[in-house]
């Protein structure tokens, strides 16, 4: 195809086109490859090896770039959560965010990743026959082996961090350690295995050599490209169960009337900055989930739809808030942005820009409605983690079954038989998406519910009322995050 090399237009052969797409090298290297094709009619062995090496290196670079962006989202979560809680609990929520990365990495290395994506190959469909350590997984010779682990670790850390916001300001530190271990080491990896692994029964990425009826629930498999269901529903469902079983913060609901009592976070500035960092990191979450450098058009489309859905979600949520006779406020807009981002995470490369706007708008309604519903039910989620991640995650999974475009599904998943029902297909793919929602919700809510109930039974789930009143920073972490004494006026005799 025509392309630009060293100031001249070349009509490249198929092999040359492959080399160009794979390498994105300098003009000098491209001129060398073009001269090779012109002289021989094909790439010589040496230059073909060069092109293949460059392709592999760019794949690794692409994955590492995405891993760094997604990991930077931990800074966004830390700022958002710290700003959304009261000042007396700042150190507690920050320590949990720090340990989500540290403990999450070790757990993901030893247990989580081998279960999630450590397929043994051959006829084996289970991973229990090998020790759960990364360096024992078959496939170490793959050029993206280490880079893929990094990318997936950043995803796992994000899923674990979601829960801490829903149980903030009253959850015991021992309970945090327990749910982080179980979620990162078992609950989340199983969902990844089912939905993204090559043997997963809902996976759209099954091994092409395997008989598809044995591995598909139907249709294309679950269309959840970057994890509206796999990551956000999983974290959000665990967050919801934690908030329900843990109970509301003391004083959140009036004893007699049940009226909601405001408990605003101590820093809107931190919350806003954290949200913008999360939005920035989402460009690693969604576009880089193409996993290979040669799929740049899919990545670019995912970046555009991600942007538009976030914009629509933020604007819609603020509009709803104002329409209900509330003053314009920052917090609804911030959560609306996150709602739009979660909603588009699953369908980002398979929908048109106009559909992304609609998905973000509906995501704003889903967030706002579910947030108000939980308050009616007296479920206290300080950061609205479950409305943003669980309920909008459900919507994101279902949106793929509605708006996925045939051409894009074929380009991303390699089949054009099943796509969005509103785009002219039958309802089979929507049915698959619904099955995915039910499976993930049942699995995560069931197991996390058992875990939180067990911790509650053992009196390990919640801090005492006295510690909650004083604040977890002073009662559990050696002092306040802020020097409040220094801000008091000096008394002059």
């Amino acid at each position: 195809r025509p392309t630009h090399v060293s100031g001249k237009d070349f009509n490249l052969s198929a092999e040359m086109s492959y080399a160009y797409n794979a390498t994105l090298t300098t003009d000098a290297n491209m001129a060398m490859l073009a001269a090779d094709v012109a002289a021989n009619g094909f790439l010589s062995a040496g230059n073909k090896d060069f092109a293949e090496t460059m392709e592999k290196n760019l794949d690794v670079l692409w994955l590492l770039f995405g891993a760094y962006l997604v990991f930077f989202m931990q800074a966004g979560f830390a700022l958002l959560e710290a700003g959304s809680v009261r000042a007396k609990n700042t150190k507690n929520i920050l320590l949990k965010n720090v340990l989500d990365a540290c403990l999450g990495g070790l757990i993901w290395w030893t247990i989580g990743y081998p279960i999630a994506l450590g397929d043994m190959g051959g006829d084996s469909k289970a991973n229990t026959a090998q020790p759960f350590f990364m360096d024992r997984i078959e496939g170490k010779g793959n050029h993206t082996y280490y880079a893929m682990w990094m990318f997936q670790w950043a995803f796992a850390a994000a899923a674990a961090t979601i829960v801490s916001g829903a149980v903030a300001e009253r959850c015991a530190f021992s309970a945090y350690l327990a749910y982080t271990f179980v979620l990162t080491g078992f609950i989340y990896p199983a969902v990844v295995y089912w939905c993204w692994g090559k043997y997963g029964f809902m996976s759209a990425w099954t091994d092409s050599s395997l008989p598809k009826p044995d591995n598909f629930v139907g249709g294309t498999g679950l269309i959840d490209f970057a994890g509206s269901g796999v990551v956000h529903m999983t974290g959000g469902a665990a967050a919801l169960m934690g908030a329900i079983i843990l109970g509301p913060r003391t004083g959140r609901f009036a004893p007699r009337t049940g009226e909601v009592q405001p408990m605003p976070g101590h820093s809107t500035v931190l919350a806003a900055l954290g949200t913008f960092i999360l939005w920035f990191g989402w460009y690693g979450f969604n576009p880089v989930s193409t996993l290979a450098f040669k799929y740049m058009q899919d990545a670019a489309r995912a970046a555009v739809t991600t942007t538009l859905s976030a914009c629509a979600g933020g604007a819609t949520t603020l509009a709803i808030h104002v329409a209900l006779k509330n003053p314009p406020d920052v917090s609804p807009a911030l959560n609306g942005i996150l709602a739009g981002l979660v909603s588009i995470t699953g369908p980002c490369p398979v929908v048109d820009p106009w559909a992304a706007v609609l998905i973000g708008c509906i995501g704003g309604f889903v967030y706002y409605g579910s947030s108000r519903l939980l308050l009616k039910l007296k479920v206290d989620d300080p950061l609205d983690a479950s409305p943003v991640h669980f309920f909008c995650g459900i919507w994101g999974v279902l949106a793929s079954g509605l708006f996925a475009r045939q051409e894009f599904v074929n380009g991303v998943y390699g089949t054009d038989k099943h796509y969005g029902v509103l785009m002219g297909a039958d309802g089979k793919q929507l049915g698959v998406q619904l099955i995915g929602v039910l499976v993930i919700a049942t699995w995560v809510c069931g197991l996390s519910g058992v875990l939180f109930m067990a911790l509650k039974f053992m009196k390990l789930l919640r801090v005492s009322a006295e510690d909650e009143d004083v604040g977890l920073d002073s009662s559990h972490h050696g002092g306040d995050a802020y020097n409040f004494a220094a801000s008091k006026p000096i008394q002059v005799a």
Side-chain angles (χ1 to χ4, degrees):
R1 64 185 181 184
T3 188
H4 182 75
V5 180
S6 298
K8 297 181 181 179
D9 289 330
F10 288 86
N11 195 356
L12 299 179
S13 66
E15 287 198 13
M16 187 59 208
S17 178
Y18 162 79
Y20 176 72
N21 286 324
T23 60
L24 196 67
T25 56
T26 64
D27 278 1
N29 286 331
M30 282 305 301
M32 176 187 69
L33 296 176
D36 193 11
V37 172
N40 302 307
F42 56 87
L43 283 175
S44 62
N47 281 332
K48 199 164 188 176
D49 290 343
F50 169 77
E52 290 174 355
T53 300
M54 286 300 299
E55 178 185 19
K56 291 179 179 180
N57 288 340
L58 287 170
D59 288 347
V60 172
L61 178 62
W62 183 235
L63 285 172
L64 290 177
F65 173 70
Y68 305 152
L69 284 178
V70 177
F71 178 61
F72 189 52
M73 293 174 73
Q74 292 298 314
F77 278 120
L79 291 172
L80 173 63
E81 293 184 8
S84 300
V85 300
R86 290 168 289 180
K88 63 183 180 179
N89 297 307
T90 304
K91 286 174 69 173
N92 176 264
I93 201 72
L94 288 176
L95 181 59
K96 291 176 180 177
N97 277 268
V98 170
L99 290 179
D100 280 334
C102 297
L103 292 180
L106 295 174
I107 296 167
W108 188 244
W109 173 63
T110 55
I111 302 174
Y113 188 77
I115 293 175
L117 295 170
D119 303 308
M120 293 297 124
D123 295 327
S124 174
K125 294 187 179 182
N127 304 313
T128 55
Q130 296 288 336
F132 285 163
F133 286 90
M134 178 184 167
D135 60 359
R136 296 297 300 273
I137 303 172
E138 186 173 316
K140 190 172 180 179
N142 188 294
H143 68 284
T144 59
Y145 177 75
Y146 289 108
M148 183 62 75
W149 184 91
M150 279 290 298
F151 190 59
Q152 293 296 335
W153 160 67
F155 273 58
T161 303
I162 292 168
V163 185
S164 60
V167 298
E169 301 198 298
R170 75 271 199 210
C171 182
F173 195 70
S174 57
Y176 157 78
L177 295 175
Y179 77 66
T180 296
F181 179 84
V182 174
L183 182 66
T184 309
F186 185 56
I187 295 177
Y188 172 73
V191 177
V192 174
Y193 181 85
W194 292 336
C195 300
W196 288 343
K198 67 180 180 180
Y199 297 116
F201 75 96
M202 293 189 294
S203 178
W205 312 108
T206 51
D207 190 329
S208 60
S209 65
L210 298 174
K212 293 187 183 301
D214 292 341
N215 299 281
F216 284 151
V217 289
T220 303
L222 185 68
I223 298 179
D224 189 21
F225 186 73
S228 286
V230 174
V231 179
H232 295 284
M233 269 192 69
T234 298
L240 178 61
M241 297 308 298
I244 292 173
I245 296 170
L246 186 59
R249 290 168 289 177
T250 302
R252 179 57 166 155
F253 301 100
R256 294 183 179 180
T257 63
E259 184 179 353
V260 179
Q261 303 300 306
M263 289 186 173
H266 79 280
S267 177
T268 303
V269 174
L270 292 180
L273 182 58
T275 300
F276 277 115
I277 291 176
L278 287 172
W279 189 346
F280 177 73
W282 233 285
Y283 294 118
F285 217 97
N286 288 2
V288 185
S289 287
T290 56
L291 305 182
F293 201 81
K294 61 185 177 182
Y295 302 121
M296 278 296 116
Q297 289 303 313
D298 296 326
R301 184 167 58 252
V304 170
T305 57
T306 298
T307 302
L308 292 175
S309 185
C311 296
T316 300
T317 304
L318 182 59
I320 296 170
H321 187 73
V322 173
L324 294 176
K325 299 182 179 180
N326 298 300
D329 197 2
V330 177
S331 294
L334 298 180
N335 280 330
I337 290 170
L338 297 177
L341 289 167
V342 171
S343 299
I344 199 62
T345 298
C348 59
V350 296
V351 297
D352 287 299
W354 66 263
V357 173
L358 187 56
I359 288 169
C361 288
I362 297 175
F365 279 96
V366 170
Y367 157 70
Y368 206 89
S370 58
S371 176
R372 294 304 176 268
L373 175 63
L374 291 185
L375 290 177
K376 290 286 185 182
L377 297 175
K378 295 182 173 57
V379 176
D380 182 21
D381 184 340
L383 273 93
D384 275 342
S386 44
V388 167
H389 296 279
F390 180 61
F391 292 101
C392 290
I394 291 174
W395 162 236
V397 174
L398 296 178
S400 294
L402 296 173
F403 297 106
R405 181 172 161 180
Q406 184 180 22
E407 174 190 348
F408 297 157
V409 172
N410 187 39
V412 175
Y413 292 97
T415 177
D416 61 359
K417 294 181 180 179
H418 305 285
Y419 46 98
V421 66
L422 297 181
M423 306 301 289
D426 57 23
K428 188 170 186 178
Q429 189 60 47
L430 181 59
V432 171
Q433 302 301 114
L434 181 59
I435 291 173
V437 165
L438 294 175
V439 168
I440 295 172
T442 302
W443 169 256
V444 181
C445 289
L447 266 67
S448 58
V450 169
L451 172 64
F452 284 117
M453 286 298 295
L455 291 170
K456 186 174 183 178
F457 178 78
M458 293 184 289
K459 301 186 185 302
L460 297 174
L461 183 59
R462 185 166 182 148
V463 300
S464 67
E466 293 79 11
D467 288 349
E468 184 181 352
D469 181 58
V470 172
L472 301 185
D473 290 358
S474 295
S475 60
H476 286 254
H477 301 293
D480 295 319
Y482 302 99
N483 187 356
F484 293 113
S487 64
K488 296 180 179 178
I490 300 174
Q491 300 294 327
V492 181

